[in-house]
Amino acid sequence: MLDKVMALKNRKVNILGYDEMTKAAVLIPLRQEEDELVILFEKRALHLKRQPGDICFPGGRLEPGDQHPSQAAVRETCEELGVSPEDVQILAPLDVFVTHYNGFIYPYVGLINREAEFSPNEEVEEIFTIPLSFFMHTEPERFDVTLTVEPPDDFPFHRIVGGRNYGWRKGYIPEYFYSYEGYDIWGLTARILVHFVQLLKRQEQISPLETGAK
């Protein structure tokens, strides 16, 4: 048995429980409009069961035919906005987001062809744009939402020290809000936006010497 244990040193380390978790990809769609770069957003249709009316980025779950999460991000963007794959250019990946609901979100930044014409599908109530500069100069509001543990009625409390008085740890979700001309952007969309803006601001702080510029 020891030889089997020793053989584990050569295995590739993965994330525990990864196979059981859901995986999705989203795209932050940038578009050049006149002299400024804007971010394109969707408002989810009101007839949808999940998050009707919320502001979001195009995206969805990875499908068996997707060879890479970026492929899912492009596919979902094309389906939801009614554009062709040739109109979407992946610029960069962002950090993978591990949700509190047993899932992984793969965010990407992409550029939409400025000549592309949109034909949103039935999942999209409205599309609109906000200048990227707005997010670079606007601090979002933050609210920490507490997460508590609620065991089911048939949980075997008699098998753990403390029983029903066991000291479960609490967690929290930082919820960010951006408000722009009547639109409220929050949830996962705002969380990814905050991350994206932080990365851009770090790039601004890099000196010419560090980037190798002359």
Side-chain angles (χ1 to χ4, degrees):
M1 184 61 70
L2 182 59
D3 59 334
K4 295 181 179 179
V5 175
M6 295 295 292
L8 293 177
K9 68 179 182 179
N10 297 319
R11 68 180 296 272
K12 181 181 178 180
V13 175
N14 205 335
I15 297 174
L16 189 66
Y18 180 82
D19 291 339
E20 290 75 38
M21 292 186 175
T22 61
K23 293 94 177 174
V26 299
L27 185 78
I28 298 181
L30 303 179
R31 197 181 196 196
Q32 190 71 42
E33 289 188 355
E34 298 180 354
D35 296 330
E36 65 179 350
L37 201 59
V38 301
I39 302 178
L40 188 145
F41 294 90
E42 299 176 354
K43 181 178 180 180
R44 290 173 60 82
L46 296 176
H47 65 78
L48 297 177
K49 294 182 179 180
R50 294 183 61 254
Q51 301 171 310
D54 278 0
I55 307 302
C56 68
F57 295 127
R61 291 195 177 190
L62 274 62
E63 296 182 355
D66 295 324
Q67 299 180 357
H68 191 272
S70 62
Q71 185 176 349
V74 172
R75 173 177 51 75
E76 290 287 338
T77 298
C78 293
E79 291 176 3
E80 295 174 21
L81 298 182
V83 297
S84 68
E86 291 74 23
D87 290 323
V88 183
Q89 177 188 357
I90 294 290
L91 299 180
L94 301 182
D95 290 347
V96 179
F97 180 60
V98 182
T99 75
H100 291 80
Y101 311 107
N102 299 318
F104 287 88
I105 306 292
Y106 296 86
Y108 294 87
V109 181
L111 187 65
I112 306 295
N113 185 346
R114 65 188 304 171
E115 304 299 329
E117 296 185 3
F118 301 114
S119 180
N121 67 8
E122 68 282 354
E123 298 179 13
V124 182
E125 180 78 15
E126 176 188 357
I127 59 175
F128 62 94
T129 62
I130 299 177
L132 176 57
S133 59
F134 167 79
F135 298 101
M136 296 296 290
H137 298 101
T138 303
E139 286 296 324
E141 297 178 87
R142 172 172 171 163
F143 304 88
D144 291 338
V145 179
T146 302
L147 299 176
T148 59
V149 178
E150 295 184 3
D153 293 336
D154 61 350
F155 187 82
F157 289 102
H158 63 284
R159 298 169 65 178
I160 62 175
V161 176
R164 291 184 178 275
N165 296 318
Y166 183 80
W168 301 99
R169 296 182 62 180
K170 294 183 179 181
Y172 70 91
I173 301 176
E175 288 286 3
Y176 297 95
F177 279 77
Y178 288 102
S179 294
Y180 181 86
E181 296 186 356
Y183 295 105
D184 282 315
I185 302 168
W186 70 291
L188 174 64
T189 303
R191 187 79 178 270
I192 293 174
L193 269 173
V194 168
H195 169 53
F196 178 44
V197 170
Q198 288 174 341
L199 292 178
L200 293 180
K201 289 183 176 180
R202 289 174 192 165
Q203 286 294 107
E204 288 183 340
Q205 295 172 357
I206 297 177
S207 69
L209 179 60
E210 291 174 304
T211 60
K214 296 181 180 180

